[in-house]
Amino acid sequence: MKKIFLLIFLCIFTLGFSQKKKKSKSKTVVEKETVIIYTEQEAEVSKEPRIIAGFLKQNPGHARTDFFKRRLVEIILADNSSSETKPAIRPVGKTESIARNNEVKPAKNTLASNTSSPAKPERKVNYASAGSMKSAGSSSSKAEPSDEAKRTADMLTHLFNNDAGKNEAYINVRNKSNCGLVMKINGKKAYSLTVPAKGQNFILIDKGDYVLSTAICDAKYSAPKNITQDIEIVLNVAE
């Protein structure tokens, strides 16, 4: 009798385990591939230079071309200023305040002694030190462009390149799932692209045949692609 109960228990346990295993494997990746087409609404709302530049490239005779060109320049300048000029502001501000404080002190001394000669050398020294510190601050702020700035520059060059024989295309991966992913792009060259959950990212690659692979929320994705033009791939996880 005990053996019968034991067999029944094992059967129920095995059935439950197999169902749980099947349930864990039921997740699949849903893919949608489209040729990238930029709309006027996207260009007007987006703060990404590549989207505005892409719209201008695809719509050269648009009535609002001048507006979008100005907006593109403003975004690029804002990105550059935020990454390059901010570090230079702090040392300049400090040296200016030091110079002002030092300039005021000699002025008080001159009033007490009724002479102006001691103030002159003090001012010369202060200006020289402030100027040297300012130049040092400006030289230290002149750093190499960040990888993101270089990537954006390469993308804009690609978008405005009218050479029909250009050998580059870019892939924009849009991740609609709740899990981040790392897209592996393997072919004649190998690339890796990190895409956050509910976000997107892009990469510029050489045209050719590739295999794109990743894992999203424990769901595997792998697909061969012949990349001959700019494309967008939207990925999500379906139960």
Side-chain angles (χ1 to χ4, degrees), residues 168-169 207-208 226-230:
E168 291 179 325
K207 293 179 181 178
N226 178 243
I227 310 297
T228 59
Q229 59 185 334
D230 298 344

Side-chain angles (χ1 to χ4, degrees), residues 31 33 208-212 221 223-227 231 233:
E31 174 200 4
E33 178 185 331
D209 293 318
Y210 294 91
V211 175
L212 278 60
Y221 166 82
K225 299 287 182 183
N226 178 243
I227 310 297
I231 62 171
I233 297 175

Side-chain angles (χ1 to χ4, degrees), residues 3-229:
K3 291 182 179 179
I4 294 175
F5 281 115
L6 182 60
L7 288 172
I8 293 173
F9 176 79
L10 289 174
C11 290
I12 294 173
F13 178 80
T14 304
L15 181 62
F17 180 79
S18 62
Q19 288 178 347
K20 185 177 180 181
K21 191 173 182 181
K22 287 180 180 178
K23 187 176 180 180
S24 64
K25 289 185 176 180
S26 63
K27 291 182 178 179
T28 57
V29 177
V30 179
E31 174 200 4
K32 181 182 179 182
E33 178 185 331
T34 57
V35 176
I36 298 177
I37 299 176
Y38 301 98
T39 65
E40 181 178 356
Q41 183 179 5
E42 287 177 330
E44 191 166 10
V45 175
S46 178
K47 294 183 179 180
E48 294 187 51
R50 66 181 182 88
I51 292 179
I52 302 173
F55 176 78
L56 290 172
K57 176 69 179 294
Q58 293 178 355
N59 303 272
H62 195 273
R64 303 179 69 193
T65 296
D66 290 340
F67 165 78
F68 286 116
K69 283 183 178 179
R70 286 195 300 271
R71 190 163 188 273
L72 177 61
V73 171
E74 289 172 359
I75 291 174
I76 294 174
L77 291 177
D79 290 341
N80 291 338
S81 63
S82 62
S83 61
E84 295 178 6
T85 60
K86 282 185 179 178
I89 291 174
R90 294 178 180 175
V92 172
K94 288 181 180 179
T95 55
E96 287 179 351
S97 62
I98 293 171
R100 288 173 183 173
N101 292 334
N102 289 337
E103 287 173 8
V104 172
K105 291 177 181 179
K108 291 180 179 179
N109 294 333
T110 56
L111 290 174
S113 60
N114 293 325
T115 59
S116 59
S117 57
K120 292 181 179 179
E122 289 293 331
R123 289 179 181 175
K124 289 180 181 179
V125 172
N126 290 332
Y127 288 146
S129 60
S132 61
M133 292 177 69
K134 184 176 180 181
S135 61
S138 61
S139 62
S140 62
S141 67
K142 290 181 180 179
E144 289 294 323
S146 65
D147 292 339
E148 184 64 25
K150 291 178 181 178
R151 199 166 70 110
T152 301
D154 290 341
M155 174 57 62
L156 295 176
T157 301
H158 165 75
L159 288 172
F160 285 115
N161 187 358
N162 293 319
D163 183 8
K166 61 184 177 182
N167 194 41
E168 291 179 325
Y170 92 88
I171 303 174
N172 187 65
V173 179
R174 191 183 298 271
N175 179 12
K176 289 191 173 182
S177 75
N178 294 319
C179 305
L181 65 90
V182 178
M183 178 70 75
K184 301 295 184 181
I185 306 171
N186 294 310
K188 58 183 180 180
K189 289 185 179 180
Y191 305 89
S192 180
L193 181 66
T194 301
V195 187
K198 301 294 184 180
Q200 60 180 319
N201 202 357
F202 67 90
I203 188 169
L204 194 65
I205 67 172
D206 289 346
K207 293 179 181 178
D209 293 318
Y210 294 91
V211 175
L212 278 60
S213 60
T214 189
I216 315 175
C217 304
D218 298 327
K220 301 293 184 181
Y221 166 82
S222 181
K225 299 287 182 183
N226 178 243
I227 310 297
T228 59
Q229 59 185 334

